């Protein structure tokens, strides 16, 4: 686990223009000084991320919001005061401190306050904002432990802060707060139901958006194995069929089938609790990759609470891949 000395060293790396992998409650981030265009450019290079794909700027507290965003609506402030620190990202008008390199050339900025003691200690020691997408190659499974970061990015990261396993396990909810009414651009660790309770009205979750945000590519959060989504009652039959076709089959077994015999190369049991499932989702996908599966059969959970975020990640993981993938 990271020590005070580690955090001070990491802050020095950031001041020198380096990259630091830092823990948050959602996933591990690949952090750079958000005000240093050269450092931000290196984040894109290391991840293989398109430069038009905006980054989330992490700040140390809600009191710093006006340093990074302009014309913040009252609704956005209410959400920030309720959910920060926490897994909520707000899309707002870009403040002067934010270079266009960090926003993918947009005049909006995505900003949040992470809820992790090590991540917050780093932000405090550094004294600025960190542009920090997930610490993995673009489009692949997000890391939820320091070992995941080291295995995927290796020496491309100048310093890795180990804060233990991430508590939430899926990325933050992204809310567009630039229009007349907020809308969810990416489901995540703050549920739609929680947002609606604060807003006092329904919040839209559009399938497409005019605002570019992380996780919108057709294939995202994807393991090396191909992910196939089926109805829960068809998981066993689809796994057997794939096995007969010669595949090394991995199965994410839904709770209703927990005691059923499965014909597959590897099986992970999906927890009944969506919070526990979200925490373990990316670990399950990585495990099935490591066990040599070339196809993963899974079903979607009920799309309420954190189930909406899990379903979003599984759909993206199963999305169409480029020819080279």
């Amino acid at each position: 686990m990271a020590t005070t000395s580690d955090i001070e060293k990491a802050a020095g790396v950031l001041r020198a223009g380096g990259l630091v992998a830092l823990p948050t409650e959602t996933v591990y981030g690949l952090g750079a000084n958000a005000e240093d265009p050269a450092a931000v450019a290196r984040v894109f290079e290391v991840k293989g991320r398109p430069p038009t794909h905006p980054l989330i700027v992490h700040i140390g507290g809600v009191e710093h919001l006006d340093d990074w965003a302009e014309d913040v609506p009252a609704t956005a402030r209410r959400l920030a005061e309720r959910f920060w620190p926490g897994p909520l990202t707000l899309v707002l008008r870009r403040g002067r401190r934010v270079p266009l390199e960090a926003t993918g050339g947009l005049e909006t900025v995505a900003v949040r306050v992470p809820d992790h003691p090590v991540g917050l200690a780093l932000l405090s020691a550094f004294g600025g904002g960190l542009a920090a997408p997930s610490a993995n190659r673009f489009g692949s499974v997000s890391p939820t432990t320091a070992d995941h970061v080291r295995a995927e990015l290796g020496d491309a990261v100048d310093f890795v802060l180990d804060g233990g396993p991430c508590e939430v396990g899926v990325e933050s909810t992204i809310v567009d707060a630039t229009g007349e009414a907020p809308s969810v651009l990416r489901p995540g660790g703050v549920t739609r139901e929680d947002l609606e309770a604060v807003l006092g009205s329904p919040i839209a979750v559009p399938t497409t958006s005019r605002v570019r945000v992380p996780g919108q590519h057709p294939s995202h959060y994807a393991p090396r194995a191909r992910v196939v989504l089926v109805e829960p009652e068809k998981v066993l039959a689809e796994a057997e069929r794939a096995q007969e076709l010669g595949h090394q089959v991995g199965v994410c077994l839904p709770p209703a089938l927990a005691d059923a015999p499965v014909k597959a190369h590897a099986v992970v049991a999906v927890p009944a609790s969506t919070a526990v499932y979200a925490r373990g989702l990316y670990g399950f996908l990585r495990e099935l990759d490591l066990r040599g599966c070339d196809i993963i059969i899974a079903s979607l959970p009920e799309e309420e609470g954190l189930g909406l975020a899990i379903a979003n990640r599984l759909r993206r993981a199963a999305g169409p891949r480029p020819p080279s993938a």
Side-chain angles (χ1 to χ4, degrees):
M1 292 287 287
T3 64
T4 300
S5 175
D6 293 331
I7 291 166
E8 291 294 339
K9 182 176 180 180
V13 169
L14 291 167
R15 293 188 195 101
L19 303 185
V20 171
L22 65 144
T24 78
E25 78 283 19
T26 57
V27 300
Y28 274 70
L30 181 61
N33 180 355
E35 297 178 86
D36 182 344
V40 170
R42 193 167 159 224
V43 171
F44 286 99
E45 179 184 354
V46 167
K47 282 182 63 70
R49 182 186 183 103
T52 56
H53 209 59
L55 306 179
I56 294 174
V57 175
H58 293 65
I59 62 177
V62 68
E63 66 273 16
H64 302 300
L65 178 57
D66 290 309
D67 294 338
W68 301 92
E70 293 184 350
D71 301 328
V72 179
T75 299
R77 291 190 190 279
R78 191 157 74 247
L79 292 174
E81 288 166 1
R82 168 61 182 82
F83 294 111
W84 286 357
L88 175 70
T89 294
L90 295 173
V91 176
L92 300 159
R93 287 191 58 188
R94 178 176 70 95
R96 294 182 181 179
R97 291 184 70 172
V98 186
L100 287 171
E101 287 83 356
T103 68
L106 301 176
E107 288 298 333
T108 55
V109 61
V111 62
R112 88 174 185 102
V113 179
D115 188 13
H116 193 290
V118 174
L120 288 171
L122 176 62
L123 284 161
S124 177
F126 174 60
L130 298 180
S134 56
N136 57 285
R137 302 293 178 188
F138 181 70
S140 68
V141 180
S142 302
T144 53
T145 70
D147 285 343
H148 292 165
V149 178
R150 296 186 184 102
E152 185 154 353
L153 297 182
D155 293 340
V157 183
D158 299 309
F159 199 83
V160 178
L161 279 175
D162 190 343
C166 298
E167 285 295 315
V168 175
V170 293
E171 292 82 356
S172 61
T173 301
I174 300 179
V175 171
D176 179 9
T178 61
E180 292 184 6
S183 61
V184 174
L185 303 183
R186 180 182 70 182
V190 172
T191 69
R192 175 175 54 190
E193 293 85 351
D194 287 341
L195 293 168
E196 290 175 342
V198 172
L199 295 172
S201 61
I203 187 168
V205 188
T207 56
T208 60
S209 168
R210 61 181 175 83
V211 181
R212 295 197 304 270
V213 294
Q216 284 185 320
H217 278 230
S219 177
H220 216 89
Y221 317 113
R224 291 190 299 273
R226 182 165 63 93
V227 177
V228 175
L229 299 177
V230 299
E231 296 298 321
E233 64 272 16
K234 296 180 180 178
V235 166
L236 298 180
E238 186 65 23
E240 184 173 354
R241 188 182 76 85
Q243 187 99 331
E244 290 172 351
L245 291 173
H247 289 288
Q248 294 286 88
V249 181
V251 174
C252 290
L253 194 65
L257 302 176
D259 297 323
V262 187
K263 292 184 178 180
H265 176 70
V267 178
V268 294
V270 171
S273 161
T274 53
V276 178
Y277 189 11
R279 192 178 306 136
L281 174 62
Y282 293 145
F284 296 154
L285 297 178
R286 286 178 180 273
E287 177 186 344
L288 293 174
D289 263 350
L290 287 172
R291 294 176 69 177
C293 299
D294 63 5
I295 190 170
I296 296 171
I297 310 299
S299 61
L300 299 178
E302 293 292 326
E303 297 188 37
E304 56 186 27
L306 280 173
L308 180 62
I310 297 168
N312 170 270
R313 301 315 189 270
L314 286 172
R315 286 197 180 95
R316 295 294 183 182
R321 302 189 183 195
S324 60

